[in-house]
Amino acid sequence: MSETTYFGRVITAMVTPFTVEGQVNYGMVEKLADYLVTHGSDGIVVCGTTGESPTLSWQEEYELFSIVKKAVNGRGKVIAGTGSNSTSEAIEATQQAAKLGLDGSLQVVPYYNKPPQEGLYEHFRTIAEACPDLPVMLYNIPGRTGQNMTPETIIKLAAVDNIMAVKEASGNLEQTCKIYCHTPENFAIYSGDDFLTLPLMTCGAVGVVSVASHLVGEEIQGMIQALLTGDAAKAIEINLKLFPLFKGLFCATNPIPIKAALNLVGWEVGGLRSPLCSLSPELEEGLAKIMQELSLI
């Protein structure tokens, strides 16, 4: 594992705060982005799944990109979630992100239409080549998209100049090992699941695109740095300490639990846009108990 990576080690997939009326709370967006890059995050993904991208308009997304870039002010990478299950739509959104001067683009495997592997290769290659100056992170999450991007396809895409990383959320350690063994040294693998960060780093991953880092970013950064400096015992200790939180934040569909958790600690990020709904009282009580045990509330 190289000592430095373009996107950093801990990247937060940031929620989108809403007002009581359900509008984007841009003031809170600015405050949260500033907090994240001063509390362990090397970068922020804006308008990913955790940011409720399916229910955001393109106008809202472009405004979010601009505000987060201004709030971060060079202290971390700002990565635009501009993926789509339409190649032309993804190209248009990604080109706009490039014009805004963002640091990268997160491109999810096309959902619902389930293209074959050759279709996936052409989709991502075409997007990357249409935006040659913008680094691209692939995003493989078969549980959401219904299609796994195979290691062979990822390896092939890693040869494209500006495809620099993959967020691996397949949960398959063998897949991660295969990607690591057959991609260039500067191609970065990120865990897409907080609880698998440590195991995947032993298979060649460099860090995590995290949800829990909204709450424990410095601890996650500490875990990664401990592993990198040879203190595996400390890394394991931190991982096991945080494990209940990692699992608790996925007791319901993401980002329902993390929004509930942020509201519990005093971040007024609001509710969720339909068809997502609030966390049940029973699940919120269980999540609060985990957070109390970690002295987060």
Side-chain angles (χ1 to χ4, degrees):
M1 290 177 288
S2 60
E3 287 303 309
T4 59
T5 64
Y6 172 77
F7 291 115
R9 300 286 180 185
V10 179
I11 303 166
T12 298
M14 194 176 87
V15 302
T16 299
F18 294 129
T19 64
V20 174
E21 294 79 21
Q23 302 302 309
V24 177
N25 186 338
Y26 293 109
M28 191 59 66
V29 168
E30 189 173 359
K31 291 176 183 176
L32 183 58
D34 175 73
Y35 175 85
L36 292 173
V37 294
T38 55
H39 289 80
S41 295
D42 301 310
I44 295 173
V45 171
V46 187
C47 302
T49 310
T50 308
E52 299 180 66
S53 58
T55 56
L56 295 171
S57 69
W58 283 119
Q59 184 177 356
E60 288 173 327
E61 293 196 4
Y62 296 145
E63 184 70 16
L64 282 162
F65 296 155
S66 297
I67 285 176
V68 173
K69 176 179 167 56
K70 182 179 178 182
V72 170
N73 194 27
R75 294 172 294 167
K77 303 293 186 183
V78 180
I79 305 161
T82 52
S84 172
N85 59 352
S86 163
T87 305
S88 60
E89 189 174 273
I91 288 171
E92 183 181 352
T94 305
Q95 287 175 335
Q96 181 67 23
K99 288 178 183 177
L100 292 172
L102 271 61
D103 302 296
S105 164
L106 182 71
Q107 294 290 332
V108 69
V109 166
Y111 35 87
Y112 191 76
N113 43 13
K114 291 185 70 174
Q117 296 301 311
E118 185 58 30
L120 291 178
Y121 173 75
E122 291 298 334
H123 172 79
F124 291 119
R125 180 190 62 79
T126 303
I127 295 167
E129 291 180 353
C131 310
D133 298 324
L134 191 68
V136 171
M137 180 187 292
L138 307 172
Y139 183 14
N140 187 37
I141 181 164
R144 288 263 192 177
T145 65
Q147 179 74 307
N148 180 52
M149 182 159 54
T150 65
E152 290 76 16
T153 301
I154 294 170
I155 291 162
K156 193 176 174 184
L157 284 164
V160 178
D161 286 345
N162 58 322
I163 296 181
M164 298 176 60
V166 62
K167 176 184 176 183
E168 248 300 310
S170 68
N172 188 327
L173 271 65
E174 180 181 352
Q175 180 154 306
T176 302
C177 288
K178 188 177 284 189
I179 296 166
Y180 179 74
C181 289
H182 298 283
T183 51
E185 187 178 349
N186 63 349
F187 184 79
I189 303 168
Y190 288 87
S191 173
D193 299 288
D194 280 298
F195 79 100
L196 284 177
T197 303
L198 200 56
L200 286 181
M201 287 190 71
T202 68
C203 298
V206 301
V208 61
V209 180
S210 173
V211 172
S213 53
H214 284 90
L215 304 170
V216 290
E218 289 166 312
E219 288 89 341
I220 294 171
Q221 186 72 249
M223 177 185 73
I224 291 173
Q225 295 304 323
L227 184 66
L228 293 172
T229 55
D231 194 347
K234 182 179 179 182
I236 292 169
E237 179 186 351
I238 296 171
N239 187 51
L240 292 176
K241 174 187 174 185
L242 297 179
F243 181 76
L245 180 66
F246 294 160
K247 298 302 289 183
L249 289 174
F250 284 83
C251 63
T253 302
N254 181 52
I256 294 172
I258 185 59
K259 275 203 153 178
L262 284 166
N263 283 313
L264 282 170
V265 298
W267 282 100
E268 296 178 2
V269 296
L272 301 109
R273 283 184 174 174
S274 183
L276 295 182
C277 57
S278 300
L279 196 62
S280 71
E282 295 80 13
L283 289 176
E284 184 168 324
E285 184 179 345
L287 181 58
K289 183 178 179 182
I290 292 169
M291 295 170 66
Q292 286 166 352
E293 290 172 352
L294 290 171
S295 299
L296 293 173
I297 53 176

